[in-house]
């Protein structure tokens, strides 16, 4: 199992990306809960962020695709606005063991 980082390495209301094998994924922490997604927008399959680890909108309420402005629910990856409404981000299975985030 690949260890990404310790849960305390990611601050609340922020996100961090990781290269794992041939995938780029990102972890979002919101209200102390963690969510992990493939960094690929369902609109046209390219990375969401322009700046490193900049995956959230200004209010830190949604995941934002910087390319064409799609908004995704942090909790389930559902697209609720933009050109790919109804197409969710791909969730990446993970677990937390001894404070470390591990991919399954
Ligand atoms: S690539 Fe994400 S909204 Fe177009």
């Amino acid at each position: 199992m690949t260890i990404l980082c310790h849960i305390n390495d990611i601050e609340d209301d922020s996100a961090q990306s990781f290269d794992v094998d041939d995938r780029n994924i990102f972890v979002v922490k919101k209200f102390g809960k963690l969510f992990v997604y493939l960094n690929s927008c369902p609109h046209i399959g390219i990375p969401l962020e322009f700046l490193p680890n900049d995956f959230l909108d200004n209010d830190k309420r949604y995941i934002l695709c910087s390319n064409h402005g799609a908004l995704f629910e942090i909790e389930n990856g559902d697209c609720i606005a933009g050109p790919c409404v109804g197409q969710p981000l791909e969730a990446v299975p993970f677990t937390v063991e001894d404070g470390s985030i591990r991919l399954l």
Side-chain angles (χ1 to χ4, degrees):
M1 280 194 291
T2 301
I3 296 177
L4 298 181
C5 66
H6 192 276
I7 55 174
N8 293 337
D9 292 339
I10 302 175
E11 294 184 14
D12 216 55
D13 285 337
S14 74
Q16 189 169 328
S17 69
F18 300 87
D19 287 316
V20 179
D21 299 326
D22 59 347
R23 300 183 300 171
N24 185 255
I25 62 175
F26 64 100
V27 180
V28 180
K29 189 190 258 188
K30 182 75 179 177
F31 299 128
K33 293 184 70 175
L34 298 162
F35 307 90
V36 184
Y37 296 104
L38 191 65
N39 184 10
S40 178
C41 182
H43 180 208
I44 55 174
I46 58 177
L48 284 83
E49 86 285 28
F50 285 171
L51 301 172
N53 300 317
D54 187 22
F55 289 94
L56 302 180
D57 69 340
N58 287 339
D59 295 334
K60 314 294 184 194
R61 184 166 176 203
Y62 297 104
I63 296 166
L64 168 70
C65 179
S66 296
N67 296 291
H68 311 109
L71 294 174
F72 303 87
E73 300 269 15
I74 292 174
E75 293 79 5
N76 56 24
D78 285 349
C79 183
I80 53 98
C84 44
V85 169
Q87 297 176 266
L89 294 170
E90 182 178 333
V92 177
F94 71 100
T95 188
V96 175
E97 288 182 19
D98 299 326
S100 294
I101 304 169
R102 297 170 183 253
L103 298 186
L104 294 174

